[in-house]
Amino acid sequence: MRLIRGLHNLHHSPLGSALTIGNFDGLHRGHQAVLRHLHQRAAEQHLATTVMTFEPTAQEYFSPHTAPARLQRLRDKLAMLRELEVDQVHCLRFDRELAAMSADAFVGDILVEGLDVRYLVVGDDFRFGEEREGDFAFLQRAGKQYGFEVVSTRTFLEGDDRVSSTRIRQALAAGDLAMAEQLLGRPYRICGRVSPGQQRGRTIGFHTANIRLHRVVSPLRGVFAVRAYGLGDDPLDGIANVGTRPTVDGSYCVLEVHLFDFDADIYGRYLDVEFCEKLREEKKFESFEALKRQIETDVEQARKFFSERVRE
């Protein structure tokens, strides 16, 4: 998969592009349906399947404190797009220059001259260009002018219900992991590298792997039964806390994972943490001793969950 970053690294491809544009946060079943269709049309017309996405998102650029929580980091999105056999990804930095670009320039300079678009799939609510002057109707007119076809993503729903990143965020915020899995087409995971923490867990007998979330807001909070991938052939069971750790007056959101029957130095290792069951909300305890007793209860509850899951 070819990764194109920014406005100035565009080069005319020997193949034209079958292109889709969006944030693609979570790459859920709806996104996957669009990509399957894109692959089909690209094969029929001998085009390169191309995804355009933005970093940061427009909402994060204009309203960083109210933008929705990200379901996945850019790194994880790119890895999944590679698995989905996308030919090229154009990652545009959303900044002042892009925000000020006219809709005409966006189409002419980027879509036509830069990516040689021949087939375009976008949401019919997609807006672009300075003051959001470009919309779906604008793209349809431009398509007639430049010779590319424009279709709406609404044509490619997964089942009767519209799958959206917003619905997945709502399910995760409510602790409904089963619904999130149904919409995503896979269990929800957070991926990241283990970094040194405050090492408070080991003082109460629970070593934790700390993973910075690299996002302003987490899509889920609380204590969960989890499975961690990346430390061997088989996943390891454990519990995880996602939050600010109020008992130790934490100032930022972090993922802390305690793996059962495991004690090794894994700093720098990359983990995939799969969320299996929500156990409780995060809370502040009056003492570390009270926190220790609660974690013991959480571990017992999670072990019971996994043992019952094996018997099913």
Side-chain angles (χ1 to χ4, degrees), residues 170-231:
Q170 291 169 344
L172 291 173
D176 191 347
L177 298 175
M179 175 57 71
E181 179 175 352
Q182 180 181 333
L183 297 170
L184 285 164
R186 64 192 186 281
Y188 181 68
R189 294 183 180 184
I190 289 179
C191 311
R193 198 174 301 280
V194 178
S195 60
Q198 296 176 317
Q199 300 184 343
R200 298 286 184 90
R202 66 182 58 193
T203 66
I204 55 175
F206 295 98
H207 291 224
T208 58
N210 295 273
I211 298 172
R212 291 291 295 269
L213 297 179
H214 297 286
R215 62 196 88 192
V216 177
V217 182
S218 172
L220 77 180
R221 300 283 286 265
V223 178
F224 299 83
V226 299
R227 281 205 159 131
Y229 296 78
L231 297 176

Side-chain angles (χ1 to χ4, degrees), residues 20 23 29 40 79 86 90 106 145 162 167 191 238 252 276 301:
T20 185
N23 293 325
R29 291 168 59 213
Q40 180 182 346
V86 169
H90 185 201
F106 183 88
Q145 177 184 350
R162 183 170 182 267
R167 286 185 64 198
C191 311
Y252 57 87
C276 303
Q301 188 178 348

Side-chain angles (χ1 to χ4, degrees), residues 59-101:
Q59 289 169 301
E60 289 170 340
Y61 175 78
F62 287 112
S63 304
H65 300 296
T66 59
R70 285 201 188 202
L71 297 175
Q72 62 186 169
R73 297 189 304 165
L74 176 64
R75 169 181 175 152
D76 306 317
K77 183 191 304 182
L78 293 175
M80 191 168 177
L81 286 170
R82 186 176 293 108
E83 290 177 8
L84 293 168
E85 299 182 337
V86 169
D87 294 318
Q88 56 186 14
V89 175
H90 185 201
C91 183
L92 269 177
R93 179 166 183 77
F94 204 103
D95 56 14
R96 184 180 302 176
E97 180 182 3
L98 185 63
M101 179 177 285

Side-chain angles (χ1 to χ4, degrees), residues 19 43 96 107 114 153 176 196-197 229 292:
L19 173 68
R96 184 180 302 176
V107 172
T153 56
D176 191 347
Y229 296 78
K292 178 181 179 180

